[in-house]
Amino acid sequence: MLKKIMRYSGQGLFYGLFVSVIGYFSVAPAYVHFPADQALIKVSFSHAGQPLEECRVRTAEELEKLPPNMRVPVVCGRERSPVKFELELDGELLYRAELPPAGLSRDGASTVYQRFAVPAGRYRLRTRLNDSVRVPDFNYTQETDVTVVPGQVFVVDFNAHTGGFVFK
Amino acid sequence: MLRYLVAQSGDEIFRRRALLKTIQRSGRLAFTLVEHAFDHAFGPRINPFYHLGALSFFFFWVVTASGIYLFIFFETSIEGAYRSVEYLTHEQWYLGSVARSLHRYASDAMVIVVLLHLAREFVLDRYRGVRWYAWITGVLLLWFLYASGIGGYWLVWDRLAQYIAVVTAEWFDWLPIFGEPMARNFLNNAAVSDRFFSLLSFLHIGIPLFLLLGMWIHILRISVAKTNPPRAIMIGTLLALTVLSALYPALSQGPADLDTVVSVVRPDWFYLALYPLIDVWSPGVAWGIAGGGTLLLMILPWLPRRREAAAAVVSLPNCNGCGRCFADCPYSAVIMLPRTDGLPYDSQASVNPDLCTACGICVGACPTATPFRRKTELIAGIDMPLLAIRTIREKTLTATTKLEGQDRVLVYGCQPGIDLTGLAQKGVGVLTLPCVAALTPSFIDFVITRHHADGVMLVGCAAGDCYHRLGVDWTEQRLAGQRDPYLRGRVPRERIATAWVAPSGAKRLTQALDAFRSRLRDMGPYQKGGSLPPPSASPSSNHGEVSDAAYRLG
Ligand code: HEM
Ligand code: SF4
Ligand code: SF4
């Protein structure tokens, strides 16, 4: 009898231990993923740079040599320019990158995804982007004053169709 | 130069083997200590450590059942997901919350038992040789298991799910496979789409189904796989998990909001232990650990590889096609084929050496493997090249010739089990077999009725934890007359003892042997057709699991 009680309490003990371990480690210890007093600037866009070379109009002789079904008057190279991007915070460079076009023939979009943790507060933000090797300077620039609160996610996106940088 | 290289690689293999042995030995010691404690509480038959694979199956079913219930109420939209889970947790606290918590906790339990199962197969050296198949498929199961669990946390769409979504995306973006960063899907609230969420819900059903398929593939190569744990531990664990679910229900960690960053999370460490490394170190390092770890596990069976002893061999002139070897082989290494040699039987046995672990259990099942046959013609229908039945007969005779007294015992032990060398003494002979079930019961008959010893003791692995999976079960059933070939009725049962012992049971094994011998002395020598044992001398005292568990035969 005593032996039986001992056995069952032993089993109870092990079951208790088992579910305690499960209960505890399924939510603890907590983990600090991001400092509570900071904000996060996410830079992310996907933008296809302009063609590397300017499109060219074929001459009449050139067209003559081609089979009739391939006589397209304008030829454009497929390869795209890399996209140059810069992010400045209060006049200081935070991030600079030259983003290569995707794809084996380098004809895809240039993409970026970067995160920057910054202390909450007010900043002067300047972003600049160049998407053509044929343009010497940045062809998109945007500057703004932002105030970020702790925990805020501030997104810097880019969309050429809507006129350039999008801050959210 | 070549010789130098060969010597070098020989050294290398030797070093690796030594390292491996050390790790295995210390792991085994740790398991032995813990299992010993569990043996006391549960008894060896229902010791959960001996049913880790089966428990994995059981927890899978608990997760499935609770998951089906949750799915009825779950809404697969971004808005609806969190809301519906909250509804289950708070409005339906009596059932929905319990189902949710069971779903979570049983998934955690599954991780625990699967990892223990892996570790145990490793330290017991049951992952190399012909077992490479179960090992490799097992490693792949880990990925499906983790993908299933992590996907589940994602669906809740709370702050933890948000953390998982962002970090997983960043982790996968490190691989050069996506054109557009996956993390762009989770830039802010505007970026997430219901479509992506539906895909996730779909994956959370699909991946577990693949897990189940994988579990089935995992056990394909062994026969009579134990996919159900003993009822007592099913009830026990389910009860314990239900109590936990009721007292400490699983909760969400606030609704996801991608416009703010997750600061503190409470991860489920069973599934998410690697996640902090992704942002503390880097996605690349985390891939190195996950990928490198997987790769290491995958090649482990060949570091170094184990060669099994020579496989069982069929001798057609002696095989009558009864199929008992086929029925008893734990590794599905025997198949029955149509007869090819013109003898008047329907079928014949055939061994696939790639599956054979040389356990000898087929020999123990073969009715032709009997020592009563004349020595000159003693070749069994199926036999082990390294320990042929004729050799076992000879060794039996050698081990018994020098024994004296009225309490002479021949102990048949098994090689993977407890070391028996210390047991041999005046009056006790020891013969070690690949598995205790490699012995046909006719040997027991032979030893006792021909007066080679006064009693026979069979020593095998702890009941429920047979190294060769089914050896103990088959032996018990043969002795009890429930399985062919069974022990003939003329053999006095009180002269047979069994002891199923874990490696930690050496002392109690000695005690059991001493007690057995003292009973033999009381009985006096065996006489043909001798008196039937009085009912009180029931053989039960002869059968020990060398634990506090009560013995039950069959
Ligand atoms: C979902 C996870 C898993 C389940 C449900 C599972 C289930 C099982 C079951 C039921 C058995 C048969 C036990 C028996 O009847 O003797 C088994 C054997 C085995 N498992 Fe697993 N297992 C899982 C994961 C793993 C993992 C991760 C590994 C190692 C990497 C592994 C390695 C093995 C080995 C080596 C055997 C022995 C096969 C033999 O004795 O020949 N398993 N498993
Ligand atoms: S020795 Fe074992 S594994 Fe090989 S065929 Fe016989 S029973 Fe099967
Ligand atoms: S148990 Fe023996 S006789 Fe029967 S099929 Fe197998 S080898 Fe043949």
Side-chain angles (χ1 to χ4, degrees), chain B residues 87-141:
Chain B
Y87 161 79
L88 281 164
T89 306
H90 299 293
E91 316 286 312
Q92 248 201 50
W93 53 269
Y94 48 91
L95 206 62
S97 169
V98 173
R100 177 190 185 187
S101 309
L102 263 183
H103 195 66
R104 174 185 292 188
Y105 295 143
S107 308
D108 292 335
M110 189 165 169
V111 170
I112 297 179
V113 291
V114 166
L115 294 182
L116 284 173
H117 170 58
L118 177 155
R120 194 166 191 276
E121 298 301 319
F122 172 72
V123 302
L124 291 179
D125 207 18
R126 283 203 292 217
Y127 66 100
R128 299 187 287 167
V130 309
R131 285 164 159 114
W132 68 267
Y133 173 86
W135 182 261
I136 295 282
T137 50
V139 174
L140 294 177
L141 286 182

Side-chain angles (χ1 to χ4, degrees), chain B residues 490-537:
Chain B
R490 68 175 178 189
V491 185
R493 297 308 199 255
E494 69 276 17
R495 290 182 184 275
I496 305 167
T498 57
W500 311 136
V501 229
S504 56
K507 208 172 105 202
R508 311 206 41 185
L509 175 62
T510 316
Q511 289 168 354
L513 178 62
D514 290 345
F516 180 45
R517 293 182 69 192
S518 124
R519 283 194 302 276
L520 288 173
R521 281 194 295 277
D522 294 344
M523 281 174 227
Y526 165 74
Q527 278 156 3
K528 203 166 171 182
S531 62
L532 277 174
S536 62

Side-chain angles (χ1 to χ4, degrees), chain B residues 311-312 325 328-334 351 355-363 382 384:
Chain B
C325 51
D328 280 9
C329 172
Y331 304 100
S332 305
V334 183
V351 175
L355 298 181
C356 177
T357 64
C359 66
I361 291 178
C362 50
V363 183
I382 192 162
M384 305 311 298

